[in-house]
Amino acid sequence: MEARSPAQILEYTSDVGLAKVQRGILGQLILSFMAGVFIAFASEGSNMAAFNLFANPDTYGLGKVLAGAVFGTGLMLVVVAGGELFTGNTLILVGVLDRKVKIRQMLSNWLVVYIGNLIGSVFIAYMMNRSMLFNSSNGVLGGQTIKIAAYKTALSFESAFFLGIMCNWLVCLAVWVSYAAKDVTGKLFACFFIICLFITSGFEHSVANMYYIPAGIMAKSNPLWVEASHVGAEQLANLNWLNFIIKNEIPVTLGNIVGGSGMVGLLYWISLKKKKAV
């Protein structure tokens, strides 16, 4: 099937944004909960696939590639099965620029979807802890879960912000390219390669971190997993709910907005909407 051109993708993105804000609050909340679950499943699955590779510095890069190959299933589920994902919804700015969507509608959607994503992601983090799957490989999976969360809550504001920009620049490009495809196969390929690049690169995704960090916070109550993490006492103390929000979610979310709305939505709108006037 013939793919949409970049100009057609822009128009389609604008229409999708309008449809998203016109959906009722309950619908937005349910679909955002589902998207949070999808991304959390992708996060835990990528950790399960690569945790032994992460534990060895010599194979860490290979572990990132493997994790990236698994993680793409999260966005595939959002795009094909249906879900409301905050990071992808930063593209609603295109509808605002087209004057189809009001700013307050966009902000309302972002807030509801962000909350739904958080609930879904934390729910899976809780279930993973209760399932005791973190005991895998004598607790190494639990240890890596703690280590990843401790790393994320130790980032500086600047680092987290720029990692957030680069992350959602790629995530929204994956969504953008999936909009070009008119069949499921094309959408899946669009998600797989670009998301694999984002995870392999080590960028920061606000919704994925809604799983990674709460999972680590919950896991640090288990002595076996703490021992396997080799994380120091100070880092463990800093791994808490307050730092989850302040040290990671706030700067990463702001970066995700810039990366998605600014570096994809705004730049394509300027270039493709203004081309006739140039």
Side-chain angles (χ1 to χ4, degrees):
M1 298 178 68
E2 184 180 354
R4 293 184 178 91
S5 68
Q8 290 172 326
I9 297 172
L10 185 70
E11 292 300 324
Y12 185 76
T13 302
S14 180
D15 291 339
V16 168
L18 177 60
K20 286 178 178 292
V21 300
Q22 288 180 334
R23 183 176 288 118
I25 297 295
L26 180 60
Q28 291 180 32
L29 192 60
I30 292 172
L31 289 177
S32 59
F33 170 82
M34 294 296 289
V37 167
F38 297 159
I39 297 300
F41 275 139
S43 300
E44 63 82 13
S46 63
N47 274 358
M48 177 62 85
F51 72 89
N52 275 318
L53 296 173
F54 288 154
N56 183 349
D58 294 334
T59 57
Y60 184 80
L62 181 60
K64 295 294 286 184
V65 175
L66 179 57
V70 175
F71 189 90
T73 56
L75 188 61
M76 292 177 190
L77 285 168
V78 171
V79 168
V80 179
E84 291 288 319
L85 186 63
F86 169 77
T87 45
N89 282 16
T90 58
L91 288 173
I92 293 175
L93 180 69
V94 173
V96 173
L97 295 171
D98 276 345
R99 299 184 180 181
K100 297 177 182 177
V101 176
K102 294 181 173 60
I103 291 177
R104 63 174 177 78
Q105 291 178 302
M106 177 183 72
L107 295 178
S108 173
N109 175 271
W110 284 1
L111 177 61
V112 172
V113 169
Y114 197 88
I115 292 170
N117 290 167
L118 178 62
I119 296 171
S121 298
V122 173
F123 182 59
I124 297 301
Y126 172 77
M127 292 183 71
M128 281 295 293
N129 270 270
R130 298 295 294 177
S131 74
M132 303 303 290
L133 267 178
F134 291 153
N135 279 331
S136 299
S137 192
N138 295 320
V140 175
L141 176 57
Q144 286 301 307
T145 300
I146 295 170
K147 188 174 182 178
I148 290 169
Y151 159 77
K152 291 178 178 294
T153 52
L155 291 170
S156 68
F157 189 99
E158 181 181 25
S159 179
F161 176 71
F162 282 106
L163 289 170
I165 292 176
M166 291 186 285
C167 163
N168 212 32
W169 197 334
L170 287 176
V171 171
C172 282
L173 282 174
V175 173
W176 181 270
V177 176
S178 77
Y179 286 168
K182 296 182 180 180
D183 64 315
V184 172
T185 301
K187 292 180 183 295
L188 296 181
F189 271 103
C191 295
F192 178 84
F193 290 104
I194 302 175
I195 297 304
C196 187
L197 174 59
F198 131 58
I199 291 294
T200 302
S201 299
F203 300 146
E204 291 289 310
H205 189 274
S206 57
V207 180
N209 288 352
M210 292 173 184
Y211 167 80
Y212 286 127
I213 300 176
I217 293 172
M218 296 176 196
K220 77 172 190 174
S221 64
N222 185 299
L224 173 65
W225 303 340
V226 170
E227 183 180 359
S229 74
H230 303 294
V231 172
E234 184 177 353
Q235 282 183 292
L236 282 173
N238 289 330
L239 177 55
N240 55 58
W241 294 103
L242 182 62
N243 282 340
F244 162 52
I245 300 299
I246 295 176
K247 298 279 287 184
N248 190 277
E249 279 299 307
I250 290 176
V252 170
T253 298
L254 293 174
N256 286 170
I257 292 171
V258 173
S261 291
M263 308 312 293
V264 180
L266 178 62
L267 292 185
Y268 273 118
W269 188 86
I270 291 172
S271 63
L272 297 174
K273 285 288 184 178
K274 301 295 183 183
K275 66 179 181 177
K276 294 182 179 180
V278 174

